Every structure is written in structure tokens, then in C-alpha cells.
Amino acid sequence: MTASLLALFSSAFVTFLVIVDPPGNAPIFAGLTRDASAADRRRMAIRAAIVAWFILLFFAFLGEPLLDALGISLAAFRIAGGIMLFIIALDMVFEKRTERRENRAHEIEGTPEAEDVSVFPMAIPMIAGPGTIAAIMLYMAEATTFAERMVITGAMTLTILITMIALLAAGPLMKLMGAKLEAMITRLLGVILAALASQFVIDGIAAALISELQTL
């Protein structure tokens, strides 16, 4: 792997890891599946990861044609995606994101959906949520070669694998981490995501300005 591809992989991997936030998903999954058997928890964790992977793969390769069909420029999508990611980052820093996740979990407790949480709410929207979809579409829109697309797909796949492992180890992980450590990690990741989101906005504005200057 060349230095440029390695840098792309690192950037994409950190972005996906921060947005998906496996340590943040683990306690929600543990709470939703606390009455399930160990076998059922494993099945739901694996299914959630697979469903989320296919959703992100769909948007990775069909997201750009969708933008073209809607008449949306890549620069506009970079700016919109960056703003969305920045809002998510703020929520993470101020712990609003965890609160919303817990609210979603409480909403489906005691309902038939609580029997299998793999598709909703775990795969959608907790793993393959709007932020993750926007991020992978942004990276794919900027990729110019097949190798770059495979690197981005690999970074996303590795993130999903780590998330699946976190879900499988949700119970023991929560006992090991504790609420305070989880909150600290979430806030740190939020700061990193805010910086990455700002870069997306800057790149989008620069691309829009260049495009306008070229038309003059």
C-alpha cells in the first residue's frame, strides 16, 4: 500500500470509527438484549453488523449516481455532509448523542421489536446512520481510482468488524469500561470528528469557489 493510500485508509477509518462509535453502541445493545440468551445476542450482533455493512456498501457505490440524478454537486454535498458530521460531533462532546440513543432504546422496550434489535435500531440508525452514510458517500465522491475505492471500503469493513466485536463483547465491555470511561472516550472522539468535519466543509467551499472561478 502506497503512502497516499495508507493516508486515505487512516483518514477514512478514523472518520468511520468516530461516527459509528462502537464503545457507544455496546451499552445500548447490552441494555436491549439483557433478557436474551447468549446465542440470541450473538446472532443479533452479527446480523446487525452484516445489515449495516450492506447498507453502507449500497450508498458507497450508488451514492454518487444518486447525487447526479438529483442535480447535487459534490462540493455542495461535501459542505452539507461536513455540517452534519460537525453537529454529530457537538452531540458527542456534550453527550446528547448517547442520550438520544438511550431514548431510542427505551422507545422499543416492551414492544415486539425488542425481540430482535439487529435491524432496528442497531443496524439502522445506530451503526449505518445518516452520519456514516454521508461520510462514506463523501469519501467515495473524492475517490478517483479503483484502489482508492477499495481502500475506503476496507476501512468501512474494518470499522463494522470492530463494531460487531464490541457488540459481541457488550456485557463484559461495559463492566470493564464503566460509564465514566465511556463518556470520556465519546467526548474525545467527538473532538476528532469535529476537526474532520471542518475539513470537509473547507474542502467543499474551496471546490465550489474553484468551480465558480473556472466558469468566469
Side-chain angles (χ1 to χ4, degrees):
M1 184 181 293
T2 64
S4 61
L5 290 179
L6 182 60
L8 176 61
F9 177 86
S10 300
S11 175
F13 176 64
V14 169
T15 301
F16 297 145
L17 192 65
V18 167
I19 299 171
V20 174
D21 186 19
N25 277 309
I28 302 302
F29 181 75
L32 288 172
T33 60
R34 62 176 176 269
D35 296 325
S37 66
D40 285 339
R41 284 197 299 269
R42 286 195 298 271
R43 176 177 55 81
M44 284 188 278
I46 294 171
R47 181 182 298 170
I50 292 174
V51 171
W53 185 80
F54 274 110
I55 291 171
L56 293 176
L57 196 66
F58 172 84
F59 281 100
F61 289 96
L62 296 179
E64 189 171 353
L66 180 62
L67 289 181
D68 291 339
L70 295 174
I72 301 172
S73 70
L74 295 181
F77 190 78
R78 288 190 188 102
I79 295 170
I83 293 172
M84 181 185 296
L85 296 181
F86 191 81
I87 293 172
I88 292 173
L90 289 179
D91 286 348
M92 292 173 68
V93 172
F94 294 104
E95 296 187 330
K96 295 294 183 182
R97 194 178 185 215
T98 301
E99 181 182 339
R100 278 203 301 271
R101 281 177 167 173
E102 291 173 348
N103 289 338
R104 289 193 194 116
H106 290 313
E107 285 173 3
I108 71 166
E109 281 183 337
T111 69
E113 291 174 295
E115 295 177 1
D116 188 346
V117 300
S118 56
V119 177
F120 175 83
M122 292 312 305
I124 311 169
M126 291 187 178
I127 300 176
T132 321
I133 292 171
I136 198 164
M137 287 179 66
L138 283 168
Y139 274 105
M140 282 297 192
E142 295 176 352
T144 57
T145 66
F146 177 77
E148 289 178 346
R149 293 186 178 91
M150 289 302 98
V151 164
I152 295 166
T153 303
M156 180 270 288
T157 301
L158 180 57
T159 302
I160 296 297
L161 286 175
I162 292 173
T163 304
M164 183 178 69
I165 292 171
L167 297 185
L168 289 170
L173 186 64
M174 282 308 298
K175 292 180 181 178
L176 179 65
M177 286 177 54
K180 290 185 178 180
L181 181 58
E182 181 207 343
M184 182 186 71
I185 293 173
T186 299
R187 287 184 173 183
L188 178 61
L189 294 177
V191 173
I192 295 173
L193 180 59
L196 291 169
S198 299
Q199 190 61 54
F200 276 134
V201 173
I202 292 170
D203 292 343
I205 293 173
L209 289 175
I210 292 172
S211 178
E212 287 296 323
L213 289 174
Q214 288 175 343
T215 58
L216 294 177

